[in-house]
Amino acid sequence: MSMLKAEKIYTNGIILTQDGERNQVSQMATHGKTILAVGDDLSQYADDKTESIDLVGSIVVPGFIDAHVHFLWGGETLLTIPAHDAHSKAEFIDIVRKFAADRPAGSWLKGGGWNEHHFSDNSFPHRDWLDEAAPGHPMLLTRHDGHSGVASSTALALAGITSQTPDPLGGVIDRDENGEPTGIVRDAAIDLVFMHMPDESESELMKNLETSQNYLLSRGVTSVGDMIYDMNHFHFLQKMAREGLLRVRISGYTPILKWKEMKVLLKDGIYEDEFFQYKGLKGFCDGSLGSHTALMLKAYDDSPESAGIYDSQWADVSLIQETMAEADKMGYQSVIHAIGDRAVREVLDVFEAVIQENGPRDRRFRVEHAQHIHPQDQSRFADLDVIASVQPAHCVDDALYADKLLGDRCDYAYPFQSLKQADAVLAFGSDWPVSPADPIATIHGAIHRAGWHMEEAMGLNDSLEAHTHLAAYAGFREHDLGILKAGHLADFVILDSEFLKLESRVESPDKLILKIFVNGKEVEE
C-alpha cells in the first residue's frame, strides 16, 4: 500500500505544534484539509507534485481559538454607532450625530462600546447626550461590557420607563436626584428597552455574519465558542452552516432558559459539521465589575451600599440546577457567567451538586470570565474538573479602576497563575465585542497584565496553549483542532518571528500575522 503524499510541505519554520509529545518541529505536510505529518524531515511524503514552501524562519501556530465570543453581535457592533471611539462627552455626541445624519427620522439606532473610564471625568453618558445628538430617535448604546446601556428619552418612553418604574429583578434603572431616569439601564433593565427594538432582517444578519467572519479571520481566529443570546441567531447560523457559508468554525451555546426549545430542536435533529457544532447551555449568575453588578462576597469599596446583584436567571437556582443536570445527562455542557467572588463560589456549588447527582463523566463545565476567585475556591476548579474560561483583555481594562472598586481584593483578581499552579485548565477568549478578538493582544495581556498584579502573569508558551489547544479542549474539539499533528484539520497561522519576543515587548505589536489557513487553504483578505 503506497504512502499518501503531501500536497504541500512547509519547511524551515518554527512550528509550535501544541502537541506535548513533540511541541516544536521545522516542517509540516498537508493533504487536502488535514495535516499529514509534522517533523524535521518529511521528504518521504514528497513526490514530484508536492509543493515545497519555505517559511524562512517564520512561526507557525494552530489557528487561534477564541473560547468566548458573541459572533453575530460582534459583526453588528462594527456596523453600528462606534461609541468606543469616544473619550469625552463632546466626542460621544459628535459620533452619534454623524452616524444619525443619514438615517431616517425616528428610526432605531444602536451601537455601543463606550467606557466611562475613558472619559476625563469618568461620568456615565446621559439620555440628554443622545437627545442632543439625534433628537427623536429611539436609541440604545451599550457599555463595552454589555451589562449597562444608555437609552434616549424616546427609547425610554417606548419602554414605558419613568420615575415610577421599579427596578426589574436582576437589573437597575439609574435615576437622578429627582428620581428621573438618567438613561442608564443595567443588566436586566437593558431588556426593558431591548425588547422594543425591531428584529434584525436576514439581510442585516448576513451583513453581520460576513463582517464577523472577515474580522475574526484577519486576526487569525479560525474557531470560536459562540455564546448565542438570541435563538433567532441560532436558527440563522444553522441555515448558514447547511448552505456552507461559514468560514469560521463555531461551537455554539444557547441560553440556559431556552433549554425546552433546544430539546425539541435536538429531538428533531440539528445540522452539525466541521464548521458548526452545538455544545450546550450558557447561563448568567451576575453582571460585570465596571457596572457594579458583579456579585461580591462583600460590598464594593466605593459603593458600600452594594455588593452587586444576581442576574435574573439566578433567581431560581433550583431551576438552573435541574436544567443543567438534565442537559448533562444528555451529554451537553453548561457554561456559566460568573465574575464576582460570590458568583464564582455559587456557580461552583451548583456544578458540584450536579456532579454529585449525575456521577463522574467528562463533562467540562466552565465558569465564563472567572475574574475574582476567592483563594478558598481556586483549588475547586481542578477538584471539580471545571474549566476557567478567561479573557486577559478584561484584566488589562480592569487594571484602570478595579483597585478603587475592590481594594485589597484585587490580590485575587484574574488569578491565572494561581489557577494554573492548582492544575486548573484555562481557556483564553476575548468576549468580543466586549474586547477585541485579537489573540496577539490577548496573549500579550496575559503576559504583561498592564503591570498589574504581575504575580498572576502567564508565560508565552502557556498563553499560546490556552488560546489554541486548551481552548479547543474547552469546546470538545481537541480531537481535530488546536494542535498541529497528523489527522487534525489544517487550520494554522503563520506569524512573524517577533511573536517569540512578546515577553519583552511592553506594547502589544501590530502586524505579526503573515498568513492564515483554514482547511489547508490560505484565507484571502
Side-chain angles (χ1 to χ4, degrees), residues 327-360:
D328 180 60
K329 289 178 181 177
M330 294 175 62
Y332 294 105
Q333 276 179 293
S334 285
V335 307
I336 306 295
H337 167 121
I339 286 179
D341 51 12
R342 180 182 293 277
V344 171
R345 178 172 293 178
E346 294 194 10
V347 169
L348 291 172
D349 289 344
V350 173
F351 284 163
E352 186 170 12
V354 173
I355 292 167
Q356 290 176 349
E357 177 183 345
N358 287 354

Side-chain angles (χ1 to χ4, degrees), residues 277-343:
Q277 296 180 13
Y278 178 67
K279 298 301 179 181
L281 301 175
K282 161 72 184 304
F284 288 85
C285 180
D286 67 344
S288 74
L289 185 70
S291 294
H292 284 76
T293 53
L295 189 66
M296 306 301 299
L297 291 165
K298 296 180 181 179
Y300 287 89
D301 284 20
D302 66 334
S303 301
E305 74 285 353
S306 173
I309 62 175
Y310 288 99
D311 187 90
S312 58
Q313 291 183 1
W314 215 251
D316 190 347
V317 178
S318 60
L319 174 62
I320 294 294
Q321 183 173 322
E322 178 184 328
T323 301
M324 287 171 50
E326 185 176 359
D328 180 60
K329 289 178 181 177
M330 294 175 62
Y332 294 105
Q333 276 179 293
S334 285
V335 307
I336 306 295
H337 167 121
I339 286 179
D341 51 12
R342 180 182 293 277

Side-chain angles (χ1 to χ4, degrees), residues 25-39:
V25 297
S26 61
Q27 298 185 7
M28 180 173 70
T30 64
H31 182 89
K33 65 182 181 181
T34 61
I35 297 168
L36 185 60
V38 296

Side-chain angles (χ1 to χ4, degrees), residues 17 19 43-44 46 56 91 124 135 151 184 227 284 300 324 333 392 396 414 422 434 436 439 473:
T17 67
D19 184 350
S43 56
Q44 61 183 315
V56 198
E91 287 183 3
F124 274 79
I184 294 294
M227 306 299 144
F284 288 85
Y300 287 89
M324 287 171 50
Q333 276 179 293
V396 174
Y414 298 88
V434 175
Y473 176 86

Side-chain angles (χ1 to χ4, degrees), residues 11 68 95-96 121 149 164 172 196 200 235 251 267 282 288 304 306 314 333 338 341 359 405 431 433 471 515:
T11 65
H68 183 125
I95 288 168
V96 175
D121 60 357
Q164 303 304 309
V172 175
H196 293 276
E200 298 152 308
H235 293 297
S251 294
K267 182 179 179 181
K282 161 72 184 304
S288 74
S306 173
W314 215 251
Q333 276 179 293
D341 51 12
L405 276 60
D431 198 14
K515 294 183 178 181

Side-chain angles (χ1 to χ4, degrees), residues 484-504:
L484 301 177
K485 64 184 296 187
H488 275 49
L489 292 168
D491 294 357
F492 57 96
V493 180
I494 301 178
L495 301 167
D496 188 284
S497 59
E498 287 292 308
F499 175 75
L500 296 182
K501 300 178 184 178
L502 278 185
E503 291 181 341
S504 63

Side-chain angles (χ1 to χ4, degrees), residues 55-366:
L55 293 167
V56 198
S58 298
I59 312 300
V60 180
V61 300
F64 290 111
I65 300 173
D66 193 315
H68 183 125
V69 305
H70 304 279
F71 187 63
L72 293 173
W73 178 34
E76 177 189 289
T77 62
L78 297 175
L79 298 170
T80 53
I81 298 174
H84 57 271
D85 289 338
H87 290 82
S88 67
K89 174 182 176 180
E91 287 183 3
F92 189 102
I93 291 173
D94 188 54
I95 288 168
V96 175
R97 179 182 288 119
K98 288 178 178 177
F99 186 90
D102 58 354
R103 265 64 184 184
S107 60
W108 267 96
L109 303 179
K110 54 187 175 179
W114 57 266
N115 184 344
E116 75 283 0
H117 295 285
H118 292 164
F119 301 153
S120 57
D121 60 357
N122 291 344
S123 62
F124 274 79
H126 194 280
R127 58 185 168 87
D128 291 346
W129 299 14
L130 304 183
D131 298 345
E132 177 183 343
H137 283 278
M139 195 180 333
L140 178 65
L141 303 185
T142 53
R143 189 177 185 272
H144 80 104
D145 60 8
H147 288 270
S148 295
V150 59
S152 65
S153 294
T154 304
L156 293 173
L158 287 172
I161 296 176
T162 69
S163 60
Q164 303 304 309
T165 305
D167 289 343
L169 181 66
V172 175
I173 300 168
D174 281 18
R175 307 166 199 273
D176 62 22
E177 62 274 9
N178 298 316
E180 294 296 328
T182 67
I184 294 294
V185 284
R186 303 176 191 255
D187 283 292
I190 298 175
D191 294 335
L192 299 179
V193 179
F194 187 76
M195 67 177 62
H196 293 276
M197 285 186 179
D199 291 337
E200 298 152 308
S201 66
E202 182 158 319
S203 64
E204 287 175 319
L205 289 173
M206 283 295 298
K207 290 178 183 177
N208 296 345
L209 172 69
E210 280 310 295
T211 302
S212 293
Q213 297 196 125
N214 291 338
Y215 173 91
L216 291 166
L217 289 170
S218 71
R219 286 154 178 79
V221 178
T222 58
S223 180
V224 299
D226 185 12
M227 306 299 144
I228 302 169
Y229 63 87
D230 185 330
M231 289 302 293
N232 288 334
H233 289 183
F234 178 83
H235 293 297
F236 175 76
L237 291 173
Q238 282 278 282
K239 180 179 180 181
M240 295 299 99
R242 286 191 184 94
E243 294 178 6
L245 296 177
L246 296 182
R247 296 183 290 128
V248 173
R249 304 187 198 278
I250 296 174
S251 294
Y253 299 84
T254 50
I256 198 165
L257 296 184
K258 296 292 185 180
W259 175 234
K260 288 184 178 179
E261 182 177 342
M262 274 308 307
K263 281 195 298 183
V264 174
L265 294 174
L266 292 168
K267 182 179 179 181
D268 292 342
I270 62 172
Y271 180 84
E272 295 183 288
D273 60 17
E274 291 171 350
F275 276 90
F276 185 91
Q277 296 180 13
Y278 178 67
K279 298 301 179 181
L281 301 175
K282 161 72 184 304
F284 288 85
C285 180
D286 67 344
S288 74
L289 185 70
S291 294
H292 284 76
T293 53
L295 189 66
M296 306 301 299
L297 291 165
K298 296 180 181 179
Y300 287 89
D301 284 20
D302 66 334
S303 301
E305 74 285 353
S306 173
I309 62 175
Y310 288 99
D311 187 90
S312 58
Q313 291 183 1
W314 215 251
D316 190 347
V317 178
S318 60
L319 174 62
I320 294 294
Q321 183 173 322
E322 178 184 328
T323 301
M324 287 171 50
E326 185 176 359
D328 180 60
K329 289 178 181 177
M330 294 175 62
Y332 294 105
Q333 276 179 293
S334 285
V335 307
I336 306 295
H337 167 121
I339 286 179
D341 51 12
R342 180 182 293 277
V344 171
R345 178 172 293 178
E346 294 194 10
V347 169
L348 291 172
D349 289 344
V350 173
F351 284 163
E352 186 170 12
V354 173
I355 292 167
Q356 290 176 349
E357 177 183 345
N358 287 354
R361 80 170 188 86
D362 183 13
R363 50 177 50 86
R364 305 186 198 180
F365 285 159
R366 293 166 40 172

